[in-house]
Amino acid sequence: MRLSRLIQGFATTLALGLAVIVGGQAATARPATDFKTFVEGVWPDAKAAGVSRKTFDAAFKGVEPDYTIPDLDLPDRPKIDNSGQAEFTKTAADYLSAPYLEKLGVQGRAFLKDHEAALKRIEALTGVDRFTLVAIWGRETAYGSYHPPKDAIRMLATLAYTGKRKDKFREELVAALKMLQMGVPRSDMRSSWAGAVGLTQAMPTEYLQFAIDGDGDGKIDIWRSVADALAFTAKQLEGKGWVRGARWGYEVIAPDHADCSLEGPPDARPIADWVRMGFKRAGGKPFSRDELQQEAYLMMPGGAYGPAFLAGQNFRVIRLYNTSDLYALFVGNLSDRIRGGGNFVTPWKNFAQPRTTTVHNLQVQLQKLGYPMDKIDGKIGSNTRKQIGLYQKAARIKIDCWPSDSVLASANAQANR
């Protein structure tokens, strides 16, 4: 019996080894379920959504999964991998590159002038200011120079088949099929690796909910019509809770007695309260009476190594459009530059971006020590920074709210006591 098990084990190992050698080079280990079987399993959902069999079959003709994209749940992939997301692999200083933002600001002012009539009309309709819309356009398309390189159906099918969020992408895949049924040409379904479509890169479920005719020609074309794409983006932001007339937030100077452990949405309060605590608007301009009444939370994307911000409701809305502090801050600062503003007042200090595994392991240890984590995902969000700061304060070590090997070593020692 033991010999039989050894032989079986050797055969299994050999089979796995052979499975990852394709065409003379290493390939990613495949999921157990056959892709064609998976696709056929999507048909009942697509049919229930009103997709015809003809549309369904045409959509998947020649489609095979793409195992090279990020965020897949495969045996030879790390469980925590943020490699496909610049928002989580670059430092805040690198992501918010001042020369790049300045370049986009100049281009944005020219774009604003060229499309002023449409932008004013969309702003009046939705309440979303034209500067934010142009900033999103610049971030997503580099003002029209970026064209999504992937096939959306292939990307969404791969992520629904063997991604880490299969249910989410199965829903997006069915929505994309419904778009095809509604008349969107198959050739227009180009996307990022995550399946976002159109000039401003949005998911198919968002298209079904928010896409509108922005140029008045009786059609919705988010692939070629700038006005349609901008109106679509504005409707998304409006639908997520955009506050008409409010700014995204403000750079502030923190008082000496405050620190980054105050960061995060749970500590949101009226700006007047932050002022009473000693926070001042960067640049010296005072807050208006209306601004003092707005609720905001402290946001410090580089921990103690960079500028501090009071993030308002519209910052939260931009985060819902793309769930990253750095993305929302990029859009916010770029919108300010397009208005005529400039760089951050407080400079970035030198600091290193930690490895994803360091962030992940620190999240695990802090959770064990009683510091609540929204997610154990290896991403440096506001709650992770806040909990690091609270731990550092309790452990009486340097408070910088930034994950590092030294903080991890301290947390490991505390957890093992």
Side-chain angles (χ1 to χ4, degrees):
M1 179 66 70
R2 186 175 180 183
L3 178 60
S4 174
R5 287 178 179 171
L6 285 172
I7 293 171
Q8 289 176 355
F10 174 76
T12 300
T13 302
L14 179 61
L16 287 172
L18 291 173
V20 297
I21 304 298
V22 176
Q25 61 182 12
T28 303
R30 307 298 195 250
T33 306
D34 178 76
F35 181 68
K36 290 182 179 179
T37 302
F38 159 77
V39 169
E40 196 56 38
V42 175
W43 165 241
D45 293 345
K47 182 180 180 181
V51 178
S52 71
R53 187 73 208 199
K54 180 180 179 181
T55 298
F56 185 87
D57 289 342
F60 285 106
K61 185 177 181 181
V63 172
E64 295 290 340
D66 183 349
Y67 295 110
T68 68
I69 63 176
D71 210 32
L72 300 184
D73 185 14
L74 294 169
D76 62 348
R77 291 282 186 92
K79 293 300 180 184
I80 301 296
D81 179 15
N82 299 322
S83 61
Q85 300 167 280
E87 292 86 358
F88 301 107
T89 57
K90 291 183 176 182
T91 66
D94 289 337
Y95 186 87
L96 298 161
S97 164
Y100 184 52
L101 279 163
E102 178 58 29
K103 175 184 175 182
L104 291 182
V106 172
Q107 293 175 322
R109 289 189 287 274
F111 181 90
L112 178 65
K113 186 177 180 180
D114 290 342
H115 299 274
E116 188 172 17
L119 285 161
K120 283 184 176 179
R121 185 171 64 250
I122 294 166
E123 183 174 342
L125 174 67
T126 64
V128 180
D129 67 88
R130 69 201 79 165
F131 308 101
T132 298
L133 290 176
V134 175
I136 291 175
W137 182 269
R139 179 67 187 89
E140 296 291 352
T141 76
Y143 299 105
S145 64
Y146 172 78
H147 301 284
K150 305 288 188 179
D151 174 50
I153 300 300
R154 187 185 189 198
M155 297 303 102
L156 294 170
T158 301
L159 290 161
Y161 174 45
T162 188
K164 293 177 181 176
R165 295 172 290 163
K166 295 179 180 65
D167 291 344
K168 159 68 177 170
F169 284 102
R170 187 185 186 97
E171 179 186 11
E172 296 295 347
L173 176 59
V174 172
L177 295 170
K178 191 169 182 178
M179 289 171 64
L180 295 175
Q181 185 65 38
M182 293 165 60
V184 173
R186 181 67 175 82
S187 58
D188 279 353
M189 297 300 282
R190 307 299 299 174
S191 75
S192 66
W193 68 261
V197 299
L199 290 170
T200 49
Q201 295 290 277
M203 300 307 291
T205 53
E206 299 278 298
Y207 177 91
L208 295 181
Q209 187 174 2
F210 295 113
I212 62 170
D213 176 13
D215 56 17
D217 67 353
K219 300 181 294 183
I220 298 175
D221 186 349
I222 64 169
W223 296 269
R224 282 165 288 273
S225 169
V226 172
D228 284 4
L230 291 171
F232 172 37
T233 298
K235 289 297 289 184
Q236 290 176 73
L237 296 176
E238 180 191 30
K240 296 176 192 302
W242 188 268
V243 177
R244 186 183 290 260
R247 290 173 54 85
W248 64 270
Y250 310 86
E251 184 184 352
V252 292
I253 306 299
D256 291 338
H257 64 269
D259 61 59
C260 45
S261 66
L262 291 168
E263 184 180 356
D267 281 327
R269 62 196 77 190
I271 290 177
D273 289 358
W274 291 108
V275 172
R276 280 191 285 271
M277 292 168 64
F279 286 80
K280 297 179 180 179
R281 187 169 175 179
K285 183 179 179 180
F287 290 106
S288 70
R289 182 178 300 176
D290 288 342
E291 289 169 342
L292 288 170
Q293 296 175 7
Q294 295 172 16
E295 189 174 85
Y297 67 89
L298 183 64
M299 200 272 295
M300 301 179 70
Y305 301 111
F309 306 89
L310 291 181
Q313 169 63 13
N314 287 346
F315 182 89
R316 295 178 187 241
V317 172
I318 298 170
R319 263 193 112 262
L320 290 173
Y321 186 84
N322 183 315
T323 54
S324 159
D325 286 339
L326 291 184
Y327 179 92
L329 187 53
F330 188 106
V331 168
N333 181 254
L334 180 53
S335 71
D336 288 347
R337 289 172 184 268
I338 295 167
R339 290 176 189 266
N343 199 11
F344 304 121
V345 173
T346 300
W348 299 99
K349 300 177 183 178
N350 290 327
F351 65 107
Q353 183 74 2
R355 294 173 300 168
T356 297
T357 52
T358 297
V359 181
H360 172 267
N361 293 341
L362 183 53
Q363 290 172 331
V364 170
Q365 292 297 61
L366 290 179
Q367 182 96 305
K368 289 180 181 177
L369 291 168
Y371 295 87
M373 288 290 152
D374 294 336
K375 294 179 181 179
I376 307 294
D377 58 3
K379 298 177 181 179
I380 313 171
S382 61
N383 183 61
T384 293
R385 294 190 296 268
K386 177 184 182 68
Q387 299 307 327
I388 292 172
L390 291 172
Y391 168 76
Q392 290 171 326
K393 185 178 290 189
R396 298 188 176 183
I397 59 178
K398 178 183 177 181
I399 302 172
D400 64 3
C401 304
W402 196 248
S404 65
D405 290 334
S406 62
V407 179
L408 176 58
S410 173
N412 284 339
Q414 289 275 6
N416 291 330
R417 285 182 181 177

